[in-house]
Amino acid sequence: MPKGSDPFLPLLAEVAEVRDLTPDIKLLRLSLREGRIDYRPGQFAILSAFGVGEAPFTFASLPEEGLEFAIRRMGTVTNALHNLGPGDLVGIRGPYGNTFPLEDYEGKDIIIIGGGIGIAPLRPLIHWFIKHRGDYGSLLIIYGARTPRDFAFSDEFDAWAGAGGARLELAIDPPGSPDWRGRVALVPAVVKELKPSPKNSIAITCGPPIMIHYVIEELRALGFSPGQIVTTLEAKMKCGMGKCMRCNVGDKYVCKDGPVFTADQISRLLEAF
Ligand SMILES: Cc1cc2nc3c(=O)[nH]c(=O)nc-3n(C[C@H](O)[C@H](O)[C@H](O)COP(=O)(O)OP(=O)(O)OC[C@H]3O[C@@H](n4cnc5c(N)ncnc54)[C@H](O)[C@@H]3O)c2cc1C
């Protein structure tokens, strides 16, 4: 947050590009009219659709790639954002939240596990690990969606899979897509089948809460300690900076203390319920 500025005052941004990623996810590329936003992977911004409302969205790109958000149509605000076109204005405030401690993962094998729109916060990480291939061990990406059309960023899959020995494993569920030759399985079942080794590894996951729950269970069964499992959480929030108290769990706020947590921290948070 720039010093001296009103943290609730959004900056103005122009929609530079809109791209359909899936039938219900659009990529919005924004260009700031004024000011600047410095962020790190894991953080999020609050976007305002003028006259409609605000909602939080994770930065889906690395800062040097421009401001990109992958937005799934859910209700009022996301509908309004989906209806924008190039040249339209949005408000943006942030960055908020904590970040993935990427330097702490150096030298480790990385396992990225995403489901659905959960790929949004994972995409800048994938780009980061690809860009800094030499600083990390192996890279395994597991990504699940409902149907082949529901994979966001499918135009990047060749680059993800081809990056210095990285491995991309896709799965759909439920079955019933006649042209799909790949896996039909839920994401936790793919983790169970592939059995990534916990030795010197970090697993980073994001997706629907039920997916995260079972992914953590599978990783624990494989021997991952709670500190080796990292996830990024969502919660209903308004302000993004610990004032509205809508996203608190016990004495923690998802907006300020998260959204990135280790499985260890989550289990302690859940005890607070
Ligand atoms: C830190 C953070 C980062 C996020 N990043 C992204 C992102 O990168 N891309 C993205 O598409 N979404 C993201 N979200 C979720 C996004 O903020 C919500 O989908 C959005 O607020 C819905 O607003 P709406 O006005 O369109 O829906 P509303 O009109 O408020 O709600 C429509 C329906 O969707 C349900 N709903 C609303 N929010 C959620 C939610 N978070 N999870 C499940 N159901 C919900 C409501 O209960 C209601 O049934 C993020 C949320 C948080 C907290």
Side-chain angles (χ1 to χ4, degrees), residues 136-173:
Y136 298 89
S138 62
L139 174 60
L140 166 64
I141 304 164
I142 299 172
Y143 180 20
R146 281 165 301 180
T147 75
R149 295 172 70 215
D150 293 307
F151 285 114
F153 305 112
S154 49
D155 58 331
E156 297 181 6
F157 286 175
D158 285 349
W160 295 2
R167 182 171 167 197
L168 173 66
E169 296 287 344
L170 302 172
I172 63 158
D173 192 88

PDB file of all heavy atoms in Angstrom, residues 136-173:
ATOM      1  N   TYR A 136      15.298 -24.809  -8.095  1.00  0.00           N
ATOM      2  CA  TYR A 136      14.391 -25.758  -7.427  1.00  0.00           C
ATOM      3  C   TYR A 136      14.649 -27.164  -7.966  1.00  0.00           C
ATOM      4  O   TYR A 136      15.286 -27.325  -9.017  1.00  0.00           O
ATOM      5  CB  TYR A 136      12.924 -25.355  -7.687  1.00  0.00           C
ATOM      6  CG  TYR A 136      12.616 -23.971  -7.118  1.00  0.00           C
ATOM      7  CD1 TYR A 136      12.817 -22.823  -7.886  1.00  0.00           C
ATOM      8  CD2 TYR A 136      12.189 -23.817  -5.803  1.00  0.00           C
ATOM      9  CE1 TYR A 136      12.588 -21.556  -7.364  1.00  0.00           C
ATOM     10  CE2 TYR A 136      11.953 -22.549  -5.278  1.00  0.00           C
ATOM     11  CZ  TYR A 136      12.159 -21.427  -6.057  1.00  0.00           C
ATOM     12  OH  TYR A 136      11.937 -20.180  -5.531  1.00  0.00           O
ATOM     13  N   GLY A 137      14.141 -28.164  -7.262  1.00  0.00           N
ATOM     14  CA  GLY A 137      14.263 -29.552  -7.720  1.00  0.00           C
ATOM     15  C   GLY A 137      13.204 -29.840  -8.778  1.00  0.00           C
ATOM     16  O   GLY A 137      12.867 -28.967  -9.587  1.00  0.00           O
ATOM     17  N   SER A 138      12.640 -31.053  -8.734  1.00  0.00           N
ATOM     18  CA  SER A 138      11.667 -31.426  -9.764  1.00  0.00           C
ATOM     19  C   SER A 138      10.368 -30.631  -9.596  1.00  0.00           C
ATOM     20  O   SER A 138      10.082 -30.109  -8.503  1.00  0.00           O
ATOM     21  CB  SER A 138      11.382 -32.923  -9.681  1.00  0.00           C
ATOM     22  OG  SER A 138      10.811 -33.203  -8.427  1.00  0.00           O
ATOM     23  N   LEU A 139       9.609 -30.526 -10.680  1.00  0.00           N
ATOM     24  CA  LEU A 139       8.329 -29.801 -10.648  1.00  0.00           C
ATOM     25  C   LEU A 139       7.238 -30.715 -11.182  1.00  0.00           C
ATOM     26  O   LEU A 139       7.274 -31.127 -12.347  1.00  0.00           O
ATOM     27  CB  LEU A 139       8.435 -28.527 -11.500  1.00  0.00           C
ATOM     28  CG  LEU A 139       7.149 -27.714 -11.688  1.00  0.00           C
ATOM     29  CD1 LEU A 139       6.597 -27.227 -10.346  1.00  0.00           C
ATOM     30  CD2 LEU A 139       7.412 -26.501 -12.603  1.00  0.00           C
ATOM     31  N   LEU A 140       6.290 -31.042 -10.294  1.00  0.00           N
ATOM     32  CA  LEU A 140       5.134 -31.856 -10.700  1.00  0.00           C
ATOM     33  C   LEU A 140       3.888 -31.003 -10.535  1.00  0.00           C
ATOM     34  O   LEU A 140       3.656 -30.430  -9.465  1.00  0.00           O
ATOM     35  CB  LEU A 140       5.039 -33.104  -9.804  1.00  0.00           C
ATOM     36  CG  LEU A 140       3.725 -33.897  -9.869  1.00  0.00           C
ATOM     37  CD1 LEU A 140       3.511 -34.503 -11.251  1.00  0.00           C
ATOM     38  CD2 LEU A 140       3.722 -35.027  -8.815  1.00  0.00           C
ATOM     39  N   ILE A 141       3.108 -30.897 -11.615  1.00  0.00           N
ATOM     40  CA  ILE A 141       1.863 -30.118 -11.552  1.00  0.00           C
ATOM     41  C   ILE A 141       0.697 -31.073 -11.772  1.00  0.00           C
ATOM     42  O   ILE A 141       0.625 -31.761 -12.798  1.00  0.00           O
ATOM     43  CB  ILE A 141       1.841 -29.026 -12.656  1.00  0.00           C
ATOM     44  CG1 ILE A 141       3.068 -28.119 -12.554  1.00  0.00           C
ATOM     45  CG2 ILE A 141       0.546 -28.212 -12.578  1.00  0.00           C
ATOM     46  CD1 ILE A 141       3.325 -27.280 -13.809  1.00  0.00           C
ATOM     47  N   ILE A 142      -0.210 -31.116 -10.817  1.00  0.00           N
ATOM     48  CA  ILE A 142      -1.427 -31.916 -10.953  1.00  0.00           C
ATOM     49  C   ILE A 142      -2.589 -30.926 -11.034  1.00  0.00           C
ATOM     50  O   ILE A 142      -2.704 -30.034 -10.189  1.00  0.00           O
ATOM     51  CB  ILE A 142      -1.617 -32.852  -9.737  1.00  0.00           C
ATOM     52  CG1 ILE A 142      -0.439 -33.817  -9.629  1.00  0.00           C
ATOM     53  CG2 ILE A 142      -2.942 -33.608  -9.828  1.00  0.00           C
ATOM     54  CD1 ILE A 142      -0.437 -34.649  -8.351  1.00  0.00           C
ATOM     55  N   TYR A 143      -3.421 -31.070 -12.057  1.00  0.00           N
ATOM     56  CA  TYR A 143      -4.516 -30.102 -12.235  1.00  0.00           C
ATOM     57  C   TYR A 143      -5.779 -30.860 -12.643  1.00  0.00           C
ATOM     58  O   TYR A 143      -5.767 -31.625 -13.607  1.00  0.00           O
ATOM     59  CB  TYR A 143      -4.096 -29.071 -13.299  1.00  0.00           C
ATOM     60  CG  TYR A 143      -5.113 -27.988 -13.619  1.00  0.00           C
ATOM     61  CD1 TYR A 143      -6.161 -27.662 -12.754  1.00  0.00           C
ATOM     62  CD2 TYR A 143      -5.013 -27.261 -14.802  1.00  0.00           C
ATOM     63  CE1 TYR A 143      -7.068 -26.659 -13.065  1.00  0.00           C
ATOM     64  CE2 TYR A 143      -5.912 -26.248 -15.125  1.00  0.00           C
ATOM     65  CZ  TYR A 143      -6.941 -25.963 -14.253  1.00  0.00           C
ATOM     66  OH  TYR A 143      -7.844 -24.974 -14.560  1.00  0.00           O
ATOM     67  N   GLY A 144      -6.833 -30.644 -11.903  1.00  0.00           N
ATOM     68  CA  GLY A 144      -8.099 -31.310 -12.183  1.00  0.00           C
ATOM     69  C   GLY A 144      -9.200 -30.313 -12.516  1.00  0.00           C
ATOM     70  O   GLY A 144      -9.235 -29.202 -11.979  1.00  0.00           O
ATOM     71  N   ALA A 145     -10.089 -30.728 -13.423  1.00  0.00           N
ATOM     72  CA  ALA A 145     -11.248 -29.894 -13.781  1.00  0.00           C
ATOM     73  C   ALA A 145     -12.428 -30.828 -14.063  1.00  0.00           C
ATOM     74  O   ALA A 145     -12.249 -32.050 -14.140  1.00  0.00           O
ATOM     75  CB  ALA A 145     -10.931 -29.050 -15.006  1.00  0.00           C
ATOM     76  N   ARG A 146     -13.616 -30.222 -14.214  1.00  0.00           N
ATOM     77  CA  ARG A 146     -14.787 -31.065 -14.439  1.00  0.00           C
ATOM     78  C   ARG A 146     -14.747 -31.721 -15.821  1.00  0.00           C
ATOM     79  O   ARG A 146     -14.952 -32.917 -15.964  1.00  0.00           O
ATOM     80  CB  ARG A 146     -16.070 -30.228 -14.291  1.00  0.00           C
ATOM     81  CG  ARG A 146     -16.466 -29.997 -12.843  1.00  0.00           C
ATOM     82  CD  ARG A 146     -17.490 -28.900 -12.744  1.00  0.00           C
ATOM     83  NE  ARG A 146     -16.950 -27.663 -13.316  1.00  0.00           N
ATOM     84  CZ  ARG A 146     -17.605 -26.512 -13.377  1.00  0.00           C
ATOM     85  NH1 ARG A 146     -18.829 -26.434 -12.931  1.00  0.00           N
ATOM     86  NH2 ARG A 146     -17.042 -25.436 -13.892  1.00  0.00           N
ATOM     87  N   THR A 147     -14.527 -30.909 -16.851  1.00  0.00           N
ATOM     88  CA  THR A 147     -14.465 -31.431 -18.221  1.00  0.00           C
ATOM     89  C   THR A 147     -13.231 -30.816 -18.883  1.00  0.00           C
ATOM     90  O   THR A 147     -12.668 -29.844 -18.359  1.00  0.00           O
ATOM     91  CB  THR A 147     -15.710 -31.018 -19.043  1.00  0.00           C
ATOM     92  OG1 THR A 147     -15.568 -29.630 -19.391  1.00  0.00           O
ATOM     93  CG2 THR A 147     -17.016 -31.214 -18.271  1.00  0.00           C
ATOM     94  N   PRO A 148     -12.839 -31.334 -20.049  1.00  0.00           N
ATOM     95  CA  PRO A 148     -11.658 -30.753 -20.714  1.00  0.00           C
ATOM     96  C   PRO A 148     -11.823 -29.256 -20.982  1.00  0.00           C
ATOM     97  O   PRO A 148     -10.843 -28.508 -20.954  1.00  0.00           O
ATOM     98  CB  PRO A 148     -11.576 -31.543 -22.025  1.00  0.00           C
ATOM     99  CG  PRO A 148     -12.258 -32.834 -21.733  1.00  0.00           C
ATOM    100  CD  PRO A 148     -13.335 -32.534 -20.738  1.00  0.00           C
ATOM    101  N   ARG A 149     -13.045 -28.793 -21.218  1.00  0.00           N
ATOM    102  CA  ARG A 149     -13.273 -27.358 -21.492  1.00  0.00           C
ATOM    103  C   ARG A 149     -13.079 -26.508 -20.240  1.00  0.00           C
ATOM    104  O   ARG A 149     -13.015 -25.279 -20.322  1.00  0.00           O
ATOM    105  CB  ARG A 149     -14.710 -27.141 -22.003  1.00  0.00           C
ATOM    106  CG  ARG A 149     -15.003 -27.791 -23.342  1.00  0.00           C
ATOM    107  CD  ARG A 149     -16.481 -27.698 -23.658  1.00  0.00           C
ATOM    108  NE  ARG A 149     -16.888 -26.332 -23.957  1.00  0.00           N
ATOM    109  CZ  ARG A 149     -18.072 -25.804 -23.627  1.00  0.00           C
ATOM    110  NH1 ARG A 149     -18.949 -26.525 -22.950  1.00  0.00           N
ATOM    111  NH2 ARG A 149     -18.371 -24.577 -23.950  1.00  0.00           N
ATOM    112  N   ASP A 150     -13.080 -27.133 -19.077  1.00  0.00           N
ATOM    113  CA  ASP A 150     -12.970 -26.377 -17.825  1.00  0.00           C
ATOM    114  C   ASP A 150     -11.524 -26.171 -17.359  1.00  0.00           C
ATOM    115  O   ASP A 150     -11.307 -25.629 -16.269  1.00  0.00           O
ATOM    116  CB  ASP A 150     -13.785 -27.067 -16.724  1.00  0.00           C
ATOM    117  CG  ASP A 150     -15.270 -27.002 -17.040  1.00  0.00           C
ATOM    118  OD1 ASP A 150     -15.770 -25.891 -17.286  1.00  0.00           O
ATOM    119  OD2 ASP A 150     -15.926 -28.064 -17.076  1.00  0.00           O
ATOM    120  N   PHE A 151     -10.571 -26.611 -18.165  1.00  0.00           N
ATOM    121  CA  PHE A 151      -9.167 -26.322 -17.814  1.00  0.00           C
ATOM    122  C   PHE A 151      -8.849 -24.887 -18.214  1.00  0.00           C
ATOM    123  O   PHE A 151      -8.921 -24.554 -19.410  1.00  0.00           O
ATOM    124  CB  PHE A 151      -8.198 -27.250 -18.547  1.00  0.00           C
ATOM    125  CG  PHE A 151      -8.158 -28.644 -17.984  1.00  0.00           C
ATOM    126  CD1 PHE A 151      -8.607 -29.721 -18.716  1.00  0.00           C
ATOM    127  CD2 PHE A 151      -7.649 -28.861 -16.706  1.00  0.00           C
ATOM    128  CE1 PHE A 151      -8.574 -31.005 -18.190  1.00  0.00           C
ATOM    129  CE2 PHE A 151      -7.607 -30.146 -16.172  1.00  0.00           C
ATOM    130  CZ  PHE A 151      -8.074 -31.213 -16.917  1.00  0.00           C
ATOM    131  N   ALA A 152      -8.497 -24.054 -17.251  1.00  0.00           N
ATOM    132  CA  ALA A 152      -8.041 -22.704 -17.579  1.00  0.00           C
ATOM    133  C   ALA A 152      -6.570 -22.774 -17.996  1.00  0.00           C
ATOM    134  O   ALA A 152      -5.841 -23.660 -17.550  1.00  0.00           O
ATOM    135  CB  ALA A 152      -8.206 -21.790 -16.369  1.00  0.00           C
ATOM    136  N   PHE A 153      -6.159 -21.847 -18.841  1.00  0.00           N
ATOM    137  CA  PHE A 153      -4.766 -21.724 -19.284  1.00  0.00           C
ATOM    138  C   PHE A 153      -4.267 -22.946 -20.057  1.00  0.00           C
ATOM    139  O   PHE A 153      -3.082 -23.258 -20.040  1.00  0.00           O
ATOM    140  CB  PHE A 153      -3.830 -21.440 -18.085  1.00  0.00           C
ATOM    141  CG  PHE A 153      -4.237 -20.237 -17.295  1.00  0.00           C
ATOM    142  CD1 PHE A 153      -4.714 -20.351 -15.993  1.00  0.00           C
ATOM    143  CD2 PHE A 153      -4.185 -18.972 -17.864  1.00  0.00           C
ATOM    144  CE1 PHE A 153      -5.122 -19.237 -15.270  1.00  0.00           C
ATOM    145  CE2 PHE A 153      -4.590 -17.855 -17.150  1.00  0.00           C
ATOM    146  CZ  PHE A 153      -5.054 -17.995 -15.846  1.00  0.00           C
ATOM    147  N   SER A 154      -5.189 -23.650 -20.755  1.00  0.00           N
ATOM    148  CA  SER A 154      -4.753 -24.859 -21.477  1.00  0.00           C
ATOM    149  C   SER A 154      -3.750 -24.512 -22.586  1.00  0.00           C
ATOM    150  O   SER A 154      -2.941 -25.360 -22.960  1.00  0.00           O
ATOM    151  CB  SER A 154      -5.952 -25.619 -22.038  1.00  0.00           C
ATOM    152  OG  SER A 154      -6.795 -24.733 -22.728  1.00  0.00           O
ATOM    153  N   ASP A 155      -3.783 -23.253 -23.061  1.00  0.00           N
ATOM    154  CA  ASP A 155      -2.807 -22.873 -24.099  1.00  0.00           C
ATOM    155  C   ASP A 155      -1.378 -22.813 -23.537  1.00  0.00           C
ATOM    156  O   ASP A 155      -0.419 -22.703 -24.297  1.00  0.00           O
ATOM    157  CB  ASP A 155      -3.192 -21.522 -24.732  1.00  0.00           C
ATOM    158  CG  ASP A 155      -3.279 -20.404 -23.698  1.00  0.00           C
ATOM    159  OD1 ASP A 155      -3.591 -20.697 -22.520  1.00  0.00           O
ATOM    160  OD2 ASP A 155      -3.020 -19.241 -24.046  1.00  0.00           O
ATOM    161  N   GLU A 156      -1.247 -22.884 -22.204  1.00  0.00           N
ATOM    162  CA  GLU A 156       0.098 -22.835 -21.604  1.00  0.00           C
ATOM    163  C   GLU A 156       0.606 -24.229 -21.215  1.00  0.00           C
ATOM    164  O   GLU A 156       1.724 -24.370 -20.731  1.00  0.00           O
ATOM    165  CB  GLU A 156       0.078 -21.940 -20.345  1.00  0.00           C
ATOM    166  CG  GLU A 156      -0.269 -20.498 -20.658  1.00  0.00           C
ATOM    167  CD  GLU A 156      -0.266 -19.595 -19.424  1.00  0.00           C
ATOM    168  OE1 GLU A 156       0.114 -20.037 -18.327  1.00  0.00           O
ATOM    169  OE2 GLU A 156      -0.668 -18.430 -19.579  1.00  0.00           O
ATOM    170  N   PHE A 157      -0.236 -25.241 -21.409  1.00  0.00           N
ATOM    171  CA  PHE A 157       0.122 -26.570 -20.878  1.00  0.00           C
ATOM    172  C   PHE A 157       1.422 -27.107 -21.470  1.00  0.00           C
ATOM    173  O   PHE A 157       2.220 -27.722 -20.767  1.00  0.00           O
ATOM    174  CB  PHE A 157      -1.013 -27.575 -21.125  1.00  0.00           C
ATOM    175  CG  PHE A 157      -2.212 -27.386 -20.217  1.00  0.00           C
ATOM    176  CD1 PHE A 157      -3.356 -28.160 -20.387  1.00  0.00           C
ATOM    177  CD2 PHE A 157      -2.201 -26.441 -19.200  1.00  0.00           C
ATOM    178  CE1 PHE A 157      -4.461 -27.999 -19.552  1.00  0.00           C
ATOM    179  CE2 PHE A 157      -3.300 -26.264 -18.373  1.00  0.00           C
ATOM    180  CZ  PHE A 157      -4.431 -27.050 -18.553  1.00  0.00           C
ATOM    181  N   ASP A 158       1.632 -26.881 -22.791  1.00  0.00           N
ATOM    182  CA  ASP A 158       2.864 -27.403 -23.409  1.00  0.00           C
ATOM    183  C   ASP A 158       4.087 -26.757 -22.758  1.00  0.00           C
ATOM    184  O   ASP A 158       5.081 -27.427 -22.485  1.00  0.00           O
ATOM    185  CB  ASP A 158       2.874 -27.115 -24.916  1.00  0.00           C
ATOM    186  CG  ASP A 158       1.926 -28.048 -25.652  1.00  0.00           C
ATOM    187  OD1 ASP A 158       1.458 -29.023 -25.029  1.00  0.00           O
ATOM    188  OD2 ASP A 158       1.633 -27.780 -26.831  1.00  0.00           O
ATOM    189  N   ALA A 159       3.968 -25.446 -22.491  1.00  0.00           N
ATOM    190  CA  ALA A 159       5.101 -24.733 -21.869  1.00  0.00           C
ATOM    191  C   ALA A 159       5.316 -25.240 -20.443  1.00  0.00           C
ATOM    192  O   ALA A 159       6.455 -25.410 -20.004  1.00  0.00           O
ATOM    193  CB  ALA A 159       4.828 -23.236 -21.864  1.00  0.00           C
ATOM    194  N   TRP A 160       4.224 -25.500 -19.723  1.00  0.00           N
ATOM    195  CA  TRP A 160       4.359 -25.994 -18.348  1.00  0.00           C
ATOM    196  C   TRP A 160       5.031 -27.364 -18.338  1.00  0.00           C
ATOM    197  O   TRP A 160       5.956 -27.616 -17.574  1.00  0.00           O
ATOM    198  CB  TRP A 160       2.990 -26.123 -17.669  1.00  0.00           C
ATOM    199  CG  TRP A 160       2.254 -24.837 -17.454  1.00  0.00           C
ATOM    200  CD1 TRP A 160       2.656 -23.584 -17.830  1.00  0.00           C
ATOM    201  CD2 TRP A 160       0.981 -24.669 -16.821  1.00  0.00           C
ATOM    202  NE1 TRP A 160       1.702 -22.658 -17.471  1.00  0.00           N
ATOM    203  CE2 TRP A 160       0.675 -23.289 -16.855  1.00  0.00           C
ATOM    204  CE3 TRP A 160       0.072 -25.551 -16.241  1.00  0.00           C
ATOM    205  CZ2 TRP A 160      -0.509 -22.771 -16.314  1.00  0.00           C
ATOM    206  CZ3 TRP A 160      -1.106 -25.048 -15.707  1.00  0.00           C
ATOM    207  CH2 TRP A 160      -1.390 -23.666 -15.737  1.00  0.00           C
ATOM    208  N   ALA A 161       4.543 -28.249 -19.241  1.00  0.00           N
ATOM    209  CA  ALA A 161       5.037 -29.629 -19.230  1.00  0.00           C
ATOM    210  C   ALA A 161       6.448 -29.707 -19.794  1.00  0.00           C
ATOM    211  O   ALA A 161       7.206 -30.605 -19.440  1.00  0.00           O
ATOM    212  CB  ALA A 161       4.095 -30.511 -20.037  1.00  0.00           C
ATOM    213  N   GLY A 162       6.809 -28.756 -20.655  1.00  0.00           N
ATOM    214  CA  GLY A 162       8.092 -28.855 -21.333  1.00  0.00           C
ATOM    215  C   GLY A 162       9.221 -28.157 -20.594  1.00  0.00           C
ATOM    216  O   GLY A 162      10.336 -28.117 -21.070  1.00  0.00           O
ATOM    217  N   ALA A 163       8.923 -27.597 -19.447  1.00  0.00           N
ATOM    218  CA  ALA A 163       9.927 -26.765 -18.776  1.00  0.00           C
ATOM    219  C   ALA A 163      10.909 -27.601 -17.972  1.00  0.00           C
ATOM    220  O   ALA A 163      10.607 -28.004 -16.845  1.00  0.00           O
ATOM    221  CB  ALA A 163       9.232 -25.764 -17.853  1.00  0.00           C
ATOM    222  N   GLY A 164      12.065 -27.867 -18.558  1.00  0.00           N
ATOM    223  CA  GLY A 164      13.165 -28.536 -17.841  1.00  0.00           C
ATOM    224  C   GLY A 164      12.723 -29.729 -17.012  1.00  0.00           C
ATOM    225  O   GLY A 164      12.988 -29.780 -15.812  1.00  0.00           O
ATOM    226  N   GLY A 165      12.072 -30.677 -17.633  1.00  0.00           N
ATOM    227  CA  GLY A 165      11.709 -31.906 -16.934  1.00  0.00           C
ATOM    228  C   GLY A 165      10.497 -31.782 -16.037  1.00  0.00           C
ATOM    229  O   GLY A 165      10.211 -32.670 -15.245  1.00  0.00           O
ATOM    230  N   ALA A 166       9.755 -30.686 -16.149  1.00  0.00           N
ATOM    231  CA  ALA A 166       8.533 -30.575 -15.348  1.00  0.00           C
ATOM    232  C   ALA A 166       7.510 -31.601 -15.853  1.00  0.00           C
ATOM    233  O   ALA A 166       7.566 -32.025 -17.005  1.00  0.00           O
ATOM    234  CB  ALA A 166       7.964 -29.168 -15.457  1.00  0.00           C
ATOM    235  N   ARG A 167       6.609 -31.981 -14.980  1.00  0.00           N
ATOM    236  CA  ARG A 167       5.616 -32.993 -15.343  1.00  0.00           C
ATOM    237  C   ARG A 167       4.231 -32.428 -15.062  1.00  0.00           C
ATOM    238  O   ARG A 167       3.996 -31.906 -13.967  1.00  0.00           O
ATOM    239  CB  ARG A 167       5.885 -34.221 -14.477  1.00  0.00           C
ATOM    240  CG  ARG A 167       4.994 -35.384 -14.751  1.00  0.00           C
ATOM    241  CD  ARG A 167       5.538 -36.579 -13.968  1.00  0.00           C
ATOM    242  NE  ARG A 167       4.553 -37.640 -13.956  1.00  0.00           N
ATOM    243  CZ  ARG A 167       4.565 -38.655 -13.111  1.00  0.00           C
ATOM    244  NH1 ARG A 167       5.521 -38.737 -12.203  1.00  0.00           N
ATOM    245  NH2 ARG A 167       3.638 -39.581 -13.167  1.00  0.00           N
ATOM    246  N   LEU A 168       3.345 -32.503 -16.048  1.00  0.00           N
ATOM    247  CA  LEU A 168       1.973 -32.005 -15.883  1.00  0.00           C
ATOM    248  C   LEU A 168       1.015 -33.180 -15.982  1.00  0.00           C
ATOM    249  O   LEU A 168       1.039 -33.926 -16.968  1.00  0.00           O
ATOM    250  CB  LEU A 168       1.659 -30.978 -16.978  1.00  0.00           C
ATOM    251  CG  LEU A 168       0.212 -30.489 -17.056  1.00  0.00           C
ATOM    252  CD1 LEU A 168      -0.171 -29.696 -15.807  1.00  0.00           C
ATOM    253  CD2 LEU A 168       0.000 -29.612 -18.303  1.00  0.00           C
ATOM    254  N   GLU A 169       0.202 -33.367 -14.966  1.00  0.00           N
ATOM    255  CA  GLU A 169      -0.765 -34.467 -14.946  1.00  0.00           C
ATOM    256  C   GLU A 169      -2.164 -33.873 -14.840  1.00  0.00           C
ATOM    257  O   GLU A 169      -2.488 -33.206 -13.843  1.00  0.00           O
ATOM    258  CB  GLU A 169      -0.509 -35.384 -13.736  1.00  0.00           C
ATOM    259  CG  GLU A 169       0.836 -36.084 -13.769  1.00  0.00           C
ATOM    260  CD  GLU A 169       0.906 -37.204 -14.807  1.00  0.00           C
ATOM    261  OE1 GLU A 169      -0.165 -37.629 -15.285  1.00  0.00           O
ATOM    262  OE2 GLU A 169       2.029 -37.634 -15.126  1.00  0.00           O
ATOM    263  N   LEU A 170      -2.974 -34.110 -15.866  1.00  0.00           N
ATOM    264  CA  LEU A 170      -4.327 -33.546 -15.898  1.00  0.00           C
ATOM    265  C   LEU A 170      -5.342 -34.634 -15.606  1.00  0.00           C
ATOM    266  O   LEU A 170      -5.146 -35.795 -15.958  1.00  0.00           O
ATOM    267  CB  LEU A 170      -4.607 -32.961 -17.286  1.00  0.00           C
ATOM    268  CG  LEU A 170      -3.648 -31.876 -17.770  1.00  0.00           C
ATOM    269  CD1 LEU A 170      -3.936 -31.540 -19.239  1.00  0.00           C
ATOM    270  CD2 LEU A 170      -3.770 -30.625 -16.901  1.00  0.00           C
ATOM    271  N   ALA A 171      -6.433 -34.243 -14.982  1.00  0.00           N
ATOM    272  CA  ALA A 171      -7.502 -35.216 -14.729  1.00  0.00           C
ATOM    273  C   ALA A 171      -8.843 -34.503 -14.798  1.00  0.00           C
ATOM    274  O   ALA A 171      -8.957 -33.353 -14.368  1.00  0.00           O
ATOM    275  CB  ALA A 171      -7.322 -35.848 -13.348  1.00  0.00           C
ATOM    276  N   ILE A 172      -9.823 -35.175 -15.362  1.00  0.00           N
ATOM    277  CA  ILE A 172     -11.184 -34.633 -15.313  1.00  0.00           C
ATOM    278  C   ILE A 172     -12.041 -35.537 -14.429  1.00  0.00           C
ATOM    279  O   ILE A 172     -11.749 -36.710 -14.222  1.00  0.00           O
ATOM    280  CB  ILE A 172     -11.845 -34.514 -16.707  1.00  0.00           C
ATOM    281  CG1 ILE A 172     -12.012 -35.889 -17.373  1.00  0.00           C
ATOM    282  CG2 ILE A 172     -11.067 -33.567 -17.602  1.00  0.00           C
ATOM    283  CD1 ILE A 172     -13.078 -35.921 -18.437  1.00  0.00           C
ATOM    284  N   ASP A 173     -13.097 -34.979 -13.923  1.00  0.00           N
ATOM    285  CA  ASP A 173     -14.105 -35.741 -13.188  1.00  0.00           C
ATOM    286  C   ASP A 173     -15.348 -34.868 -13.154  1.00  0.00           C
ATOM    287  O   ASP A 173     -15.220 -33.675 -12.842  1.00  0.00           O
ATOM    288  CB  ASP A 173     -13.642 -36.076 -11.767  1.00  0.00           C
ATOM    289  CG  ASP A 173     -14.564 -37.102 -11.130  1.00  0.00           C
ATOM    290  OD1 ASP A 173     -14.309 -38.296 -11.308  1.00  0.00           O
ATOM    291  OD2 ASP A 173     -15.561 -36.698 -10.511  1.00  0.00           O
TER     292      ASP A 173
END
